[in-house]
Amino acid sequence: MSFSKSLHHAENPLEKMHYRIEFHSEISQIPAEKWNALVENNHPFVKHEFLNALEKHHCVSPKYGWVPHHLAIYDHHNDLIAAMPLYEKHNNYGEFVFDQAWEQAWNSIGLPYYPKLVSATPYTPVLGQRFLVDPSLQLAEQKQLFNLLFQSATDFCEQQNMSGTHILFAKPQQQAWLNELSCQDQSQLYIRHDCQFHWQNQQYQTFDDFLAQLKPKKRKNIKQERKAIHHSGVTFRVLNGYQATEKDWQDFDYFYQKTFLEKWSTPTLNIGFFKEIGQTMADNIVLVLADYNQECIAGALMFQSDTHLYGRHWGAAKELKHLHFETCFYQGIDYAIKNGLQIFEPGAGGEHKIARGFSPVKMQSAHWLTVNPFEQGIQKFIEEEQHIIEQYRQDCITHSPYKTNE
């Protein structure tokens, strides 16, 4: 454990509540059932099982620049009432919020930008809880704990001589609270903007219901892409963790490793990680595998919460036209419709998603800087970035494949 402290908050609605704050170097130091009791919506990437598998199989470690410092707040009964996934970072790999320009600015005047403190799910640009709070508490108490989590994280950041605390892809309600906080004087908190593409289920009963909402040309293109894959002889299996075999995970791990190595990138996940989450998160797993001539040739790993589907990783041993679109997008949309899921988040980037039914969605992240020698420069950077992102989003909207109500 990095450090712990006890404090009494006189202004807390529970006037005599004593909190104990601890930073854990391993999530296994926190009981899974206590952590998961704070997780909303069965969100896969905040669950103890997912974060623990990353650590257990060395997917996060000093080697990759992710060092766990998970924040936990306990009440006087020693019950976990609030938590925050936190990592000490020594690079920006796997964050999907790019701050190389900030690093260069810090280095230009001899200030170290790393280490920094990040609240996010590693390698996962997905909206979710960053402040985990006991849902049984009154709203006022929850807000007090939000404040305490944030203050404890930034205090830790200062004490450990880190350059800042970065909260990435917080769910909309929590991001809205961060936005309010950033408007306060001397907050040291900045809000950055980005754009992703998400699919929204308009109470479709079938894939054809979804297609019916598209403009004729876009609808025709998707039908042609799906028809071409069908006629090629490729078939698909959609498996949960209970159904996926060891060979299925070995095949998928091969696809995953191959994709990253071909892109000259770093494959941080591994077969041990995939097999473990297949067992411990079986209900969250959606593994799409493509078979051709009795061989598994491609796969996409997705996860589901109670309401959302999340596309994460993909790879293929054989290249076939439209195989990527079918495996990663159309199979996911079809699955979401059949299972009544509301949103499909397929991952970061990619204008090619627009023609396939995904719409531009605003994304934000919050950045608290311990020392900021570039206040005017950072503010200008953020304003310009916000303007560019909004222009981009509006341009994407003009290319929407959906029929208008005119």
Side-chain angles (χ1 to χ4, degrees):
M1 301 183 187
S2 301
F3 76 87
S4 63
K5 62 180 180 179
S6 297
L7 72 164
H8 170 68
H9 270 253
E11 296 180 1
N12 194 280
L14 300 179
E15 291 187 3
K16 295 185 179 180
M17 173 69 79
H18 289 268
Y19 297 125
R20 178 168 54 85
I21 300 172
E22 294 196 20
F23 288 82
H24 295 273
S25 59
E26 298 176 7
I27 199 167
S28 61
Q29 295 167 351
I30 304 171
E33 65 276 10
K34 291 188 176 182
W35 179 280
N36 286 342
L38 308 181
V39 174
E40 301 171 353
N41 199 38
N42 192 27
H43 198 298
F45 305 117
V46 190
K47 289 176 72 172
H48 192 281
E49 292 83 354
F50 186 86
L51 301 177
N52 186 58
L54 287 174
E55 295 177 21
K56 181 178 176 180
H57 297 282
H58 310 292
C59 306
V60 293
S61 66
K63 174 183 177 181
Y64 296 123
W66 290 84
V67 181
H69 291 298
H70 304 302
L71 170 55
I73 300 179
Y74 302 88
D75 66 14
H76 65 292
H77 296 298
N78 202 35
D79 288 329
L80 183 71
I81 57 171
M84 194 173 184
L86 283 174
Y87 298 87
E88 175 183 331
K89 287 300 308 296
H90 292 267
N91 55 46
N92 73 348
Y93 186 69
E95 295 177 23
F96 297 91
V97 177
F98 304 103
D99 56 0
Q100 291 94 330
W102 292 19
E103 177 191 1
Q104 291 170 5
W106 260 244
N107 292 341
S108 71
I109 60 171
L111 282 178
Y113 190 69
Y114 295 108
K116 63 182 182 181
L117 193 63
V118 170
S119 180
T121 300
Y123 322 120
T124 311
V126 165
L127 292 172
Q129 281 173 283
R130 297 298 173 255
F131 303 93
L132 283 63
V133 174
D134 184 346
S136 69
L137 296 176
Q138 296 295 321
L139 183 59
E141 299 163 25
Q142 293 187 34
K143 288 183 176 179
Q144 287 283 344
L145 287 168
F146 286 165
N147 283 312
L148 185 53
L149 285 167
F150 181 81
Q151 188 62 55
S152 299
T154 54
D155 284 351
F156 179 79
C157 183
E158 287 186 306
Q159 292 170 19
Q160 301 296 311
N161 295 317
M162 299 183 187
S163 67
T165 301
H166 307 261
I167 303 169
L168 313 182
F169 305 106
K171 61 179 250 184
Q173 298 93 321
Q174 295 186 354
Q175 183 61 52
W177 176 78
L178 289 164
N179 291 352
E180 290 179 10
L181 188 61
S182 73
C183 295
Q184 298 177 9
D185 291 339
Q186 309 299 319
S187 70
Q188 301 173 258
L189 188 65
Y190 295 86
I191 305 301
R192 292 188 62 184
H193 300 259
D194 204 346
C195 179
Q196 284 189 6
F197 300 93
H198 298 171
W199 179 87
Q200 299 184 26
N201 190 348
Q202 303 298 326
Q203 298 184 324
Y204 304 125
Q205 298 301 306
T206 66
F207 195 93
D208 283 340
D209 289 345
F210 155 61
L211 290 179
Q213 299 304 309
L214 303 182
K215 298 172 183 176
K217 183 177 180 180
K218 301 299 183 183
R219 180 167 61 245
K220 179 180 178 182
N221 288 344
I222 291 176
K223 285 184 174 181
Q224 288 178 336
E225 290 176 353
R226 302 202 80 185
K227 185 176 181 180
I229 285 294
H230 176 73
H231 286 171
S232 73
V234 175
T235 58
F236 291 88
R237 291 176 287 141
V238 182
L239 312 173
N240 59 34
Y242 301 110
Q243 298 164 325
T245 66
E246 182 162 348
K247 184 181 184 303
D248 292 330
W249 286 118
Q250 289 173 345
D251 287 339
F252 179 76
D253 180 65
Y254 170 75
F255 303 144
Y256 167 83
Q257 303 291 336
K258 180 175 181 288
T259 297
F260 273 79
L261 292 173
E262 287 178 348
K263 292 181 178 180
W264 300 92
S265 191
T266 304
T268 53
L269 307 182
N270 54 56
I271 184 65
F273 168 80
F274 292 130
K275 288 168 62 176
E276 173 151 341
I277 61 171
Q279 294 175 354
T280 61
M281 302 177 62
D283 292 324
N284 294 109
I285 297 295
V286 181
L287 180 62
V288 180
L289 296 175
D291 297 325
Y292 180 72
N293 287 341
Q294 299 182 325
E295 249 185 272
C296 187
I297 63 165
L301 177 58
M302 306 182 192
F303 295 79
Q304 67 175 23
S305 70
D306 291 341
T307 57
H308 285 50
L309 182 66
Y310 304 97
R312 289 308 309 122
H313 301 288
W314 127 278
K318 182 180 179 65
E319 291 189 15
L320 289 176
K321 192 174 182 181
H322 308 312
L323 180 62
H324 174 259
F325 300 143
E326 179 66 35
T327 309
C328 295
F329 302 150
Y330 303 144
Q331 288 291 318
I333 290 173
D334 196 40
Y335 182 90
I337 293 171
K338 289 177 179 176
N339 290 274
L341 300 177
Q342 298 170 9
I343 304 290
F344 178 16
E345 296 186 31
E351 293 91 342
H352 59 281
K353 297 184 177 85
I354 299 173
R356 291 160 182 90
F358 295 85
S359 301
V361 175
K362 292 180 181 180
M363 305 291 285
Q364 293 180 313
S365 56
H367 307 265
W368 182 90
L369 300 173
T370 307
V371 176
N372 181 9
F374 304 101
E375 289 189 19
Q376 291 184 344
I378 291 290
Q379 188 60 46
K380 183 178 179 182
F381 174 94
I382 284 176
E383 290 172 357
E384 291 178 350
E385 181 179 56
Q386 180 180 4
H387 178 69
I388 291 169
I389 291 296
E390 182 57 23
Q391 280 191 323
Y392 171 73
R393 192 180 72 87
Q394 291 297 332
D395 183 59
C396 289
I397 289 173
T398 65
H399 294 87
S400 171
Y402 290 95
K403 295 184 292 188
T404 61
N405 294 321
E406 296 176 358

